[in-house]
Amino acid sequence: MLKAKTIANIPLFIGLTQNELDDIVRTVHFDSHHHKKGNDIIKEYSACNDLTIVTRGRVAINTYSDNRSYHIIEYERDPLIIEPDKLFGMATHYRSTYTALTPCDTLTIHKDKLLHLMKSHIIVRLNYLNIICHKTQLLENQLWHNNPTDLKACVTTFIRQHTKRPTGKKTVYIKMVQLARETNLSRLEVSKALNMLQDEEKIILKRGIIEIPELQLL
């Protein structure tokens, strides 16, 4: 049976009283799922009809470019609300694949039940709006950042613009030639920038792979 403490730390329910949390777990139907290590929780381009929340465990988020020429893996842990912006609007399909790095537990709530929940609990509605608005504001702010002027900044800006969160571990799978195209640099300039970042111990280079221990330190 779902307990109030399971949802208490989920951003969607922050600010609710204990009585309100108890009422939600008693009256709202959540589907509980367990995912073994290595199993996909959500696959890219699948339809988003439910809100999925990781309540326990760590996940890898794998996002491909449209032409499949490169992809980036990000690493997150619970609590994690998976792409809440895809539940409404014109594009209601997931952008990334979410894979369990450890055994994971998830809760899902259907869109109709979520709408009812937001109608009956204004704090839930405000929390959902704040989550969506925060993501929109981050994307809008990126458009007005100054263009990078040095080689390292060109590479790090490209990586930051293609991640869901500006912090934590990331793994970029991209060939040097493709990275040069994406950043409008020459292959030699990209190589120079990457080697400078590796000398500063901010990234680890492998063939076709850039490992970033902490993106916020770039």
Side-chain angles (χ1 to χ4, degrees), residues 122-183:
I122 188 172
I123 291 178
V124 175
R125 183 161 73 251
L126 291 174
N127 285 340
Y128 190 90
L129 288 172
N130 283 335
I131 292 168
I132 302 300
C133 289
H134 178 65
K135 180 173 182 177
T136 302
Q137 290 160 4
L138 287 176
L139 292 173
E140 183 182 31
N141 288 339
Q142 282 188 3
L143 298 175
W144 296 99
H145 289 168
N146 293 331
N147 288 328
T149 56
D150 63 81
L151 299 182
K152 288 192 299 183
C154 288
V155 172
T156 57
T157 297
F158 167 79
I159 295 172
R160 288 195 183 97
Q161 288 177 341
H162 290 80
T163 54
K164 295 180 182 294
R165 288 189 60 188
T167 60
K169 180 181 176 182
K170 319 288 179 183
T171 305
V172 184
Y173 293 81
I174 189 169
K175 294 181 178 179
M176 197 84 70
V177 172
Q178 185 63 38
L179 184 54
R181 292 195 192 103
E182 298 293 335
T183 55

Side-chain angles (χ1 to χ4, degrees), residues 13 45 64-65 69 82 85 105 108 125 134 155 186 207:
F13 304 110
Y45 303 135
Y64 275 83
S65 65
S69 62
I82 296 181
D85 54 305
D105 294 327
T108 60
R125 183 161 73 251
H134 178 65
V155 172
S186 69
R207 188 176 181 85

Side-chain angles (χ1 to χ4, degrees), residues 195-210:
N195 281 299
M196 285 191 292
L197 289 168
Q198 180 166 244
D199 290 342
E200 295 170 3
E201 299 184 345
K202 293 181 178 179
I203 65 172
I204 300 168
L205 290 178
K206 299 178 181 178
R207 188 176 181 85
I209 302 172
I210 307 168

Side-chain angles (χ1 to χ4, degrees), residues 10-218:
I10 296 171
L12 191 63
F13 304 110
I14 295 296
L16 292 172
T17 66
Q18 185 62 49
N19 287 338
E20 289 172 323
L21 292 170
D22 290 336
D23 178 66
I24 288 173
V25 298
R26 185 176 61 253
T27 60
V28 179
H29 177 71
F30 292 87
D31 288 320
S32 301
H33 302 275
H34 178 74
H35 307 269
K36 295 180 180 179
K37 179 181 177 180
N39 286 358
D40 288 337
I41 299 171
I42 296 290
K43 291 187 177 182
E44 64 173 339
Y45 303 135
S46 59
C48 180
N49 299 313
D50 308 280
L51 188 68
T52 299
I53 305 166
V54 179
T55 58
R56 183 180 71 90
R58 296 175 58 244
V59 300
I61 308 170
N62 196 355
T63 310
Y64 275 83
S65 65
D66 285 344
N67 62 4
R68 316 298 282 187
S69 62
Y70 63 90
H71 63 111
I72 297 178
I73 298 180
E74 304 180 59
Y75 305 87
E76 296 289 347
R77 64 167 302 110
D78 63 273
L80 175 66
I81 303 175
I82 296 181
E83 299 189 28
D85 54 305
K86 301 302 190 300
L87 198 56
F88 304 98
M90 297 294 291
T92 54
H93 290 79
Y94 292 103
R95 186 66 182 82
S96 307
T97 294
Y98 295 74
T99 304
L101 288 174
T102 65
C104 289
D105 294 327
T106 62
L107 294 175
T108 60
I109 178 172
H110 192 270
K111 181 190 299 186
D112 292 340
K113 293 183 174 62
L114 178 63
L115 287 171
H116 178 74
L117 180 60
M118 289 193 289
K119 182 179 180 181
S120 58
H121 292 82
I122 188 172
I123 291 178
V124 175
R125 183 161 73 251
L126 291 174
N127 285 340
Y128 190 90
L129 288 172
N130 283 335
I131 292 168
I132 302 300
C133 289
H134 178 65
K135 180 173 182 177
T136 302
Q137 290 160 4
L138 287 176
L139 292 173
E140 183 182 31
N141 288 339
Q142 282 188 3
L143 298 175
W144 296 99
H145 289 168
N146 293 331
N147 288 328
T149 56
D150 63 81
L151 299 182
K152 288 192 299 183
C154 288
V155 172
T156 57
T157 297
F158 167 79
I159 295 172
R160 288 195 183 97
Q161 288 177 341
H162 290 80
T163 54
K164 295 180 182 294
R165 288 189 60 188
T167 60
K169 180 181 176 182
K170 319 288 179 183
T171 305
V172 184
Y173 293 81
I174 189 169
K175 294 181 178 179
M176 197 84 70
V177 172
Q178 185 63 38
L179 184 54
R181 292 195 192 103
E182 298 293 335
T183 55
N184 291 317
L185 298 174
S186 69
R187 188 183 184 284
L188 182 61
E189 288 174 324
V190 167
S191 177
K192 183 178 179 180
L194 291 175
N195 281 299
M196 285 191 292
L197 289 168
Q198 180 166 244
D199 290 342
E200 295 170 3
E201 299 184 345
K202 293 181 178 179
I203 65 172
I204 300 168
L205 290 178
K206 299 178 181 178
R207 188 176 181 85
I209 302 172
I210 307 168
E211 292 186 356
I212 306 162
E214 296 292 342
L215 182 60
Q216 68 271 24
L217 299 182
L218 278 183

